[in-house]
Amino acid sequence: MSRNDVFVIAETDRSGKLYNVGIELMGPGREIAEKQHGRLCAVTVGYQLDEAVRTLSGYGADVVYRIEGQEYQNYMTELYTDAIHQLIVHEQPETVLIGATVNGRDLAPRLAKRLNTGLTADCTQISYDDASGNVLWTRPAFGGNLMAEILCAEARPQIGTVRPGVFPKPEKTGENAEVITFPVTPETSGLQKEIIEIAESILDTNEDISEAEILVSGGRGIGGPEGFALLKELADQIGGVVSASRAAVDAGWISRAKQVGQSGKTVSPKLYIACGISGSVQHYVGMKNAGTVIAVNTDPEADIFRYADYGIVGDYKSVIPAIIAALKNRKDEEA
Amino acid sequence: MNILVCVKQVPDTAEIKIDPVKNTLIRDGVQSIVNPFDMYAVEAALRIKDGSADSQVTVITMGPPQAKSALTECMALGCDHAYLISDSAFGGADTLATSYTLSKVIEKLAGENGAFDMVFCGKQAIDGDTAQVGPEIAEQLGLPQVTGAVSLSLENDAADVKRETERGYEVLRCTLPLLVTFTKSEFDIRIPSLRDKLAAKRKQINVLTAADIELDRGCVGLTGSPTRVKRSYTAGAGVKEGCVPVPDSETAAEAAAEWIVRAINL
């Protein structure tokens, strides 16, 4: 029984589909596993997991632990904590990585407390401190104004959560994982919670901003919910997805699932178009991994221009239609 | 209903700037506030109190002496009892040690005044941003948890909690006792009257030191923290140099289109 393994807890949705973050963590997971001279083990809890298991194997897992049952189809703190805790106690990994999805951030601290160990949340960098033999976890604090390097020097396993989009997907490998079905009996009788309603405003998983490659994002400058229709027009034209800053979400113009930022989601699209977004540090933390950033704002001094590759000072209501027209002209010329 | 709310006093991180010369945080003049998410927890508790006779709301915070003002703010909103948990022994605590300390206080208060039906927290503090303390308290106290709640209503002896999910929301019907962490919620936070604020200044804030609480000293403060900060540094603006924005014009739109096409075809 190896004590040097890295566990990546890879979350699936209700249909058994993996969230990208689990795949993304296979990259740093492999690096740390090599440093620790251990195996990279993916762990997936849920229902109808065949495809998820194959995918994790295909991204380099040495072992995939599957904990499966209809009771696990919908995330439930207590059932997931029990199952993963039992596996960890049995297998004694050195390091555990968990995607900082909504459920990941619900699960990780519960697990860490049960194991009486250290947890570092929302890491943006994970490296190995050769001198001490510990993982070095780097994370933002003070709303993104400060970066802190954290060590969990003694308690084990050392656990870290990572936001979606922080790491790129690693290269695919062959499917060579040893797949182990880990037996757990879910204690549903003692459950004090029952899901009585589920609503997904993003019915099409293609609308999930964490996984999007192109984002057209709106902030306070949009002025109201109707303005987002214009952003959607541009997004549709270029194959993108609409997202928003906290200001627009707080104002009730768009759903929270679309929020980019420190208290929203981290995104890493190859293109991020920011309209009417001032560009606070808290917002920047959520989109700093974007490839190309284009910003539109009526304020020439807006912070967003400090992070943008190209910026236009103007009202999005006139700039966006002009961009849509320019794109259409290019397409017509090419035809 | 007997409800306990955990709050934290934090600097208003939206106002924090970085000194460009010294590369440090400028905290002077930055206001101390009750963590915004905790305010939703307080309001949720007070709404339950409004709706049921014989309810009590106790608010606690672990912090330095100045954190008293956070508790006074909560009293002004309508909380009944306030406790400041303050001792140099608690300094340097990470989330595990913090949640341990808070849990021990909750146990102490429950033992003295009766069990709590609900424990409310904010989802995360805007300085630490970990979102760990709430769930760790729940685990320590053996309470079921719901995190990221946007609304809560009591139905007989159960709580219906609406919680944000990755792609929307879900509603969980939970029996009590229960711990809930609140994010920006679907209800507004009440504004205290001047009279309430003045009255609150005269209300008693109880102070608990390490000696007042039954706890294992090895589990609190720096000693009780499995994680340590090795070093911290200010985050730069990132690798981008930024740009000088151009005025709105047809040429600008065409240039933007060029940028877009190039980015997509990468």
Side-chain angles (χ1 to χ4, degrees):
Chain A
M1 204 165 301
S2 170
R3 295 186 70 99
N4 299 327
D5 292 344
V6 173
F7 272 19
V8 170
I9 314 294
E11 184 181 345
T12 53
D13 64 19
R14 288 161 54 224
S15 67
K17 183 163 182 278
L18 277 170
Y19 280 94
N20 279 343
V21 66
I23 300 170
E24 290 159 14
L25 288 179
M26 300 297 282
R30 169 56 67 197
E31 278 179 34
I32 301 294
E34 280 179 3
K35 293 279 190 175
Q36 291 177 177
H37 307 293
R39 303 170 306 173
L40 174 60
C41 308
V43 178
T44 188
V45 181
Y47 189 54
Q48 292 166 325
L49 297 174
D50 286 343
E51 200 191 310
V53 169
R54 263 201 306 278
T55 304
L56 291 166
S57 177
Y59 277 100
D62 298 310
V63 177
V64 179
Y65 291 102
R66 66 194 286 174
I67 297 174
E68 197 156 0
Q70 195 164 21
E71 302 90 340
Y72 297 116
Q73 183 175 22
N74 294 311
Y75 173 78
M76 183 63 72
T77 312
E78 292 71 25
L79 294 182
Y80 275 58
T81 308
D82 285 349
I84 296 172
H85 176 254
Q86 284 183 45
L87 176 64
I88 287 176
V89 168
H90 195 262
E91 296 297 320
Q92 303 277 302
E94 172 81 2
T95 300
V96 178
L97 304 179
I98 305 178
T101 57
V102 172
N103 291 334
R105 300 180 96 219
D106 178 280
L107 169 74
R110 190 111 197 183
L111 197 58
K113 175 62 94 167
R114 189 166 298 187
L115 292 162
N116 208 43
T117 188
L119 168 63
T120 308
D122 293 351
C123 300
T124 50
Q125 262 174 258
I126 299 174
S127 59
Y128 194 75
D129 187 47
D130 283 301
S132 62
N134 294 306
V135 172
L136 192 65
W137 313 92
T138 304
R139 67 176 305 269
F142 286 94
N145 285 295
L146 197 71
M147 300 302 291
E149 284 178 0
I150 312 282
L151 278 177
C152 181
E154 280 159 30
R156 289 294 183 265
Q158 44 194 336
I159 310 181
T161 69
V162 180
R163 291 268 183 135
V166 168
F167 291 99
K169 282 189 189 172
E171 296 295 311
K172 283 194 180 167
T173 63
E175 287 177 26
N176 294 317
E178 182 192 350
V179 179
I180 299 176
T181 300
F182 188 74
V184 182
T185 313
E187 298 287 332
T188 49
S189 57
L191 267 184
Q192 275 181 248
K193 288 154 49 181
E194 183 198 349
I195 299 176
I196 60 173
E197 188 188 337
I198 295 177
E200 302 199 324
S201 59
I202 305 178
L203 291 165
D204 181 357
T205 55
N206 291 329
E207 287 282 309
D208 190 341
I209 64 172
S210 312
E211 329 256 274
E213 300 235 288
I214 300 167
L215 286 171
V216 183
S217 202
R220 189 187 304 281
I222 301 301
E226 325 75 40
F228 280 93
L230 186 54
L231 301 192
K232 180 131 186 10
E233 210 187 304
L234 175 58
D236 286 343
Q237 190 187 21
I238 57 179
V241 172
V242 172
S243 62
S245 74
R246 183 174 164 179
V249 172
D250 284 356
W253 301 337
I254 190 166
S255 87
R256 186 166 300 283
K258 295 286 198 168
Q259 185 180 326
V260 174
Q262 180 73 8
S263 56
K265 295 179 178 171
T266 305
V267 297
S268 55
K270 50 187 181 187
L271 172 62
Y272 190 82
I273 303 176
C275 310
I277 293 176
S278 64
S280 71
V281 175
Q282 287 84 355
H283 185 79
Y284 175 67
V285 166
M287 44 68 60
K288 66 185 180 44
N289 291 328
T292 299
V293 178
I294 297 172
V296 178
N297 200 298
T298 52
D299 175 9
E301 304 291 317
D303 281 329
I304 191 76
F305 294 122
R306 289 168 54 212
Y307 319 129
D309 296 289
Y310 188 68
I312 301 178
V313 181
D315 189 332
Y316 79 98
K317 288 201 203 85
S318 75
V319 175
I320 300 301
I323 295 178
I324 291 173
L327 284 165
K328 188 167 182 303
N329 286 342
R330 286 182 65 111
K331 205 158 185 280
D332 291 345
E333 274 164 30
E334 275 162 35
Chain B
M1 282 284 151
N2 204 6
I3 307 169
L4 182 128
V5 187
C6 299
V7 303
K8 184 181 182 190
Q9 188 175 64
V10 295
D12 189 350
T13 58
E15 297 303 313
I16 286 183
K17 300 266 184 283
I18 296 172
D19 183 325
V21 175
K22 288 188 258 176
N23 219 29
T24 52
L25 295 184
I26 301 173
R27 292 215 231 177
D28 289 340
V30 175
Q31 271 221 310
S32 286
I33 56 174
V34 176
N35 182 46
F37 293 113
D38 300 352
M39 291 293 277
Y40 287 104
V42 171
E43 177 65 30
L46 293 172
R47 285 185 178 225
I48 293 172
K49 182 186 164 187
D50 291 342
S52 71
D54 222 26
S55 286
Q56 304 258 314
V57 178
T58 302
V59 61
I60 70 175
T61 192
M62 185 177 105
Q66 72 174 74
K68 260 191 196 177
S69 56
L71 294 174
T72 307
E73 251 186 84
C74 296
M75 296 296 268
L77 293 170
C79 295
D80 299 289
H81 312 287
Y83 293 83
L84 170 68
I85 307 154
S86 191
D87 196 310
S88 55
F90 301 144
D94 71 357
T95 58
L96 200 77
T98 301
S99 59
Y100 173 83
T101 307
L102 289 168
S103 298
K104 284 304 183 188
V105 170
I106 295 171
E107 281 177 357
K108 172 192 165 65
L109 296 178
E112 290 169 6
N113 308 320
F116 295 104
D117 300 292
M118 285 175 282
V119 176
F120 290 171
C121 307
K123 176 176 82 166
Q124 67 196 64
I126 61 173
D127 54 1
D129 284 314
T130 66
Q132 288 169 207
V133 171
E136 289 182 347
I137 292 174
E139 172 66 17
Q140 173 107 16
L141 297 176
L143 298 173
Q145 75 193 38
V146 180
T147 60
V150 298
S151 77
L152 183 151
S153 61
L154 288 178
E155 307 289 320
N156 303 316
D157 283 322
D160 281 358
V161 189
K162 184 176 175 187
R163 141 181 213 253
E164 282 180 348
T165 59
E166 205 68 29
R167 297 182 184 135
Y169 69 86
E170 63 187 13
V171 181
L172 292 145
R173 179 157 288 165
C174 316
T175 60
L176 308 179
L178 176 69
L179 183 140
V180 183
T181 78
F182 288 87
T183 183
K184 182 169 193 297
S185 300
E186 289 172 355
F187 47 84
D188 293 323
I189 297 167
R190 64 196 59 194
I191 300 172
S193 69
L194 186 58
R195 212 180 78 174
D196 292 332
K197 286 204 257 195
L198 292 171
K201 283 204 199 304
R202 293 193 302 270
K203 288 197 182 153
Q204 179 182 359
I205 308 281
N206 304 292
V207 181
L208 297 174
T209 65
D212 301 317
I213 310 160
E214 207 175 296
L215 45 71
D216 179 346
R217 292 279 184 134
C219 295
V220 307
L222 202 57
T223 322
S225 301
T227 63
R228 304 273 170 96
V229 178
K230 183 178 174 207
R231 80 175 177 119
S232 57
Y233 51 95
T234 50
V239 289
K240 285 197 191 294
E241 288 168 10
C243 69
V244 178
V246 301
D248 183 11
S249 71
E250 208 178 295
T251 339
E254 278 163 14
E258 172 73 37
W259 274 97
I260 288 170
V261 170
R262 234 187 302 147
I264 296 175
N265 291 331
L266 265 168

